[in-house]
């Protein structure tokens, strides 16, 4: 890659890349690489069907988007803490997550529009899934689509041999999404149902 501004076309390209990063003013070259306009080289230049959801790694420029997903009224109601997260608290958590190898996070996009995020905390081969759909994207089936994309992503990950999730008993949309991709009940933890990936279903298959 060589990003220089020598012509009006170069300037338009760089402006388009920066615009897709939103209002964040702190980002690195990997963030820019991921938002290259379609048809150019880079990760986002690969073709996919219009309207299809795709995952990409989360970057520092996604911090505000992830907080919007987390602090929505519905998300707070079904969270473990039952409270909104402060900006400083979220910043520390997000930065730590970006550095930790066992806590990958992906952003789900449809036609370059961010619709949600999904993450996995891996400990001794067991990955616990966290998922959040942006408030403006709810009710459109993106919860299940995020999970299906995650399972496909983890197919070749030899470190993850089992998957679990904790879902609030009243969160019917999330429960339906997890069950739709092969998760079954594995106990109760207070207000949360513990779900586990059915071992009889191969990873990446629902």
């Amino acid at each position: 890659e060589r990003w220089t501004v020598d012509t009006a076309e170069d300037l338009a390209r760089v402006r388009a890349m920066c615009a897709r990063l939103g209002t964040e003013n702190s980002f690195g070259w990997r963030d820019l690489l991921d938002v290259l306009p379609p048809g150019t080289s880079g990760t986002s230049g690969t073709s996919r069907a219009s309207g299809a959801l795709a995952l990409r790694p989360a970057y520092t420029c996604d911090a505000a988007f992830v907080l919007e997903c987390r602090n929505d009224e519905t998300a707070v109601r079904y969270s473990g803490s039952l409270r909104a997260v402060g900006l400083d608290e979220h910043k520390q958590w997000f930065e730590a997550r970006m550095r930790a190898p066992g806590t990958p996070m992906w952003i789900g996009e449809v036609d370059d529009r961010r619709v949600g995020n999904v993450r996995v905390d891996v400990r001794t081969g067991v990955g616990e899934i966290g998922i959040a759909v942006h408030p403006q994207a709810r009710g459109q089936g993106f919860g299940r689509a995020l999970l299906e994309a995650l399972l496909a992503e983890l197919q070749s990950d030899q470190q993850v041999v089992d998957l679990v999730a904790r879902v609030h008993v009243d969160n019917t949309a999330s429960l339906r999404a997890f069950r739709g991709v092969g998760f079954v009940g594995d106990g109760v933890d207070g207000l949360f149902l513990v779900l586990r990936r059915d071992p009889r279903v191969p990873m990446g298959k629902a």
Side-chain angles (χ1 to χ4, degrees), residues 168-191:
H168 195 285
V169 294
D170 294 330
N171 192 347
T172 55
S174 287
L175 289 172
R176 184 166 56 249
F178 275 100
R179 287 169 175 156
V181 297
F183 280 74
V184 295
D186 192 44
V188 179
D189 181 11
L191 292 175

Side-chain angles (χ1 to χ4, degrees), residues 134-153:
H134 192 271
Q136 295 179 1
R138 293 212 181 108
Q140 302 172 51
F142 289 132
R144 175 164 177 164
L146 283 166
L147 291 174
E148 289 175 339
L150 174 66
L151 294 177
E153 184 78 27

Side-chain angles (χ1 to χ4, degrees), residues 19-115:
R20 293 175 70 186
L21 287 169
T23 58
E24 295 294 322
N25 59 12
S26 176
F27 50 81
W29 69 268
R30 293 181 185 275
D31 301 306
L32 286 171
L33 184 65
D34 197 67
V35 297
L36 283 175
T40 63
S41 58
T43 55
S44 66
T46 56
S47 61
R48 64 174 183 258
S50 177
L53 183 141
L55 294 183
R56 64 162 175 81
Y59 296 119
T60 54
C61 62
D62 294 307
F65 173 79
V66 172
L67 184 59
E68 287 178 9
C69 295
R70 170 58 180 81
N71 276 354
D72 170 68
E73 180 182 351
T74 300
V76 169
R77 185 166 67 248
Y78 295 143
S79 70
S81 65
L82 301 176
R83 63 174 179 82
V85 176
L87 183 60
D88 289 341
E89 179 184 358
H90 174 73
K91 182 179 179 181
Q92 292 179 5
W93 173 84
F94 194 85
E95 290 177 351
R97 189 163 199 103
M98 292 295 96
R99 293 192 300 268
T103 59
M105 176 185 290
W106 295 266
I107 301 297
E109 290 185 330
V110 176
D111 296 334
D112 302 318
R113 175 174 68 100
R114 294 178 294 186
V115 298

Side-chain angles (χ1 to χ4, degrees), residues 5-16:
V5 179
D6 299 318
T7 66
E9 183 181 23
D10 292 340
L11 181 59
R13 180 181 185 228
V14 171
R15 281 178 171 168

Side-chain angles (χ1 to χ4, degrees), residues 113-199:
R113 175 174 68 100
R114 294 178 294 186
V115 298
N117 67 83
V118 63
R119 61 189 187 275
V120 181
D121 291 313
V122 184
R123 298 182 182 86
T124 61
V126 179
E128 181 168 345
I129 297 175
I131 182 174
V133 176
H134 192 271
Q136 295 179 1
R138 293 212 181 108
Q140 302 172 51
F142 289 132
R144 175 164 177 164
L146 283 166
L147 291 174
E148 289 175 339
L150 174 66
L151 294 177
E153 184 78 27
L154 295 176
Q155 261 188 304
S156 58
D157 191 332
Q158 302 302 313
Q159 298 184 66
V160 181
V161 297
D162 196 9
L163 286 171
V164 298
R166 295 170 68 252
V167 181
H168 195 285
V169 294
D170 294 330
N171 192 347
T172 55
S174 287
L175 289 172
R176 184 166 56 249
F178 275 100
R179 287 169 175 156
V181 297
F183 280 74
V184 295
D186 192 44
V188 179
D189 181 11
L191 292 175
F192 294 84
L193 295 179
V194 179
L195 304 175
R196 187 174 298 273
R197 177 71 176 169
D198 189 337

